């Protein structure tokens, strides 16, 4: 919408992404990094005796969805000078690797259901545009919840997926 003699421009939006993953692990998951051993038609009895921590083949469904609002405002002081502010929520779901790695954990454990990464994103600034000059000064702030990352765990001697919790970026 345009308001105040078209000096104020407001944009509002909603998006509703939905993600669904159906994983079928036909092999034994042997580590929190998603490493697997596939036995084919072999009898698993001897394998399980030698590898008591291995997780048997499993199927699991993951559903991630969220309604994400956004809003933007531009106020023009003059035809050449304006200020702006934007806000948007974001969603980033775990990729295939962390989801397959989560199959190592029993379905009742928190690590078996990785949380998606969500963000609140803000940016604001000043713009000047004329026939000879185009300039902008701006700043941003992103607040992550459940920030997802990979890290090497020296105790396990493996690369595993971590949830870093809240992270601020600016």
């Amino acid at each position: 919408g345009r308001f105040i003699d078209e000096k104020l421009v407001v944009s509002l939006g909603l998006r509703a992404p939905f993600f669904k993953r159906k994983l079928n692990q036909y092999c034994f998951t042997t580590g929190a990094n998603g490493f697997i051993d596939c036995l084919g038609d072999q009898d698993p009895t001897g394998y399980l005796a030698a590898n008591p921590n291995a997780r048997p083949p499993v199927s699991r469904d993951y559903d991630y969805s969220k309604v994400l609002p956004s809003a933007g405002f531009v106020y023009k002081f003059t035809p050449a000078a304006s200020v702006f502010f934007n806000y948007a929520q974001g969603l980033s779901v775990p990729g295939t690797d962390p989801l397959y790695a989560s199959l190592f954990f029993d379905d009742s454990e928190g690590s078996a259901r990785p949380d998606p990464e969500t963000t609140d994103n803000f940016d604001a600034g000043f713009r000047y545009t004329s026939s000879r000059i185009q300039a902008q000064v701006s700043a941003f702030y992103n607040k992550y919840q459940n920030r997802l990352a990979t890290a090497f765990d020296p105790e396990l001697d493996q690369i595993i997926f971590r949830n870093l919790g809240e992270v601020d970026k600016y």
Side-chain angles (χ1 to χ4, degrees):
R2 296 179 185 274
F3 307 95
I4 311 172
D5 295 328
E6 296 197 11
K7 290 182 179 183
L8 175 65
V9 178
V10 178
S11 299
L12 301 175
L14 275 178
R15 73 181 187 102
F18 56 93
F19 302 92
K20 185 171 184 132
R21 294 278 179 142
K22 293 179 175 249
L23 300 184
N24 294 305
Q25 179 61 282
Y26 298 109
C27 300
F28 287 84
T29 307
T30 59
N33 65 345
F35 189 78
I36 58 171
D37 283 338
C38 297
L39 305 182
D41 293 333
Q42 235 178 332
D43 180 10
T45 308
Y47 175 83
L48 286 170
N51 300 283
N53 292 328
R55 304 294 181 185
V58 65
S59 294
R60 198 175 286 162
D61 292 345
Y62 297 88
D63 289 306
Y64 298 102
S65 61
K66 187 170 171 72
V67 175
L68 305 170
S70 64
F73 304 90
V74 176
Y75 184 79
K76 296 180 182 182
F77 294 105
T78 69
S82 63
V83 293
F84 64 90
F85 173 81
N86 296 297
Y87 167 77
Q89 282 189 346
L91 175 69
S92 180
V93 301
T96 304
D97 288 345
L99 291 179
Y100 271 106
S102 72
L103 297 177
F104 178 72
F105 301 98
D106 185 67
D107 201 26
S108 63
E109 296 179 60
S111 296
R113 299 280 174 184
D115 290 327
E117 177 181 291
T118 58
T119 56
D120 289 295
N121 308 298
F122 304 88
D123 69 304
F126 173 80
R127 287 188 188 116
Y128 182 83
T129 305
S130 70
S131 61
R132 300 193 127 170
I133 299 173
Q134 292 185 2
Q136 175 174 305
V137 175
S138 62
F140 70 92
Y141 172 70
N142 298 335
K143 183 170 187 63
Y144 294 85
Q145 296 83 33
N146 301 314
R147 180 71 168 149
L148 302 175
T150 58
F152 178 75
D153 187 321
E155 291 180 20
L156 296 173
D157 193 30
Q158 298 177 354
I159 294 175
I160 61 172
F161 300 94
R162 299 261 190 223
N163 183 321
L164 303 179
E166 289 190 12
V167 174
D168 295 337
K169 185 168 77 170
Y170 49 92

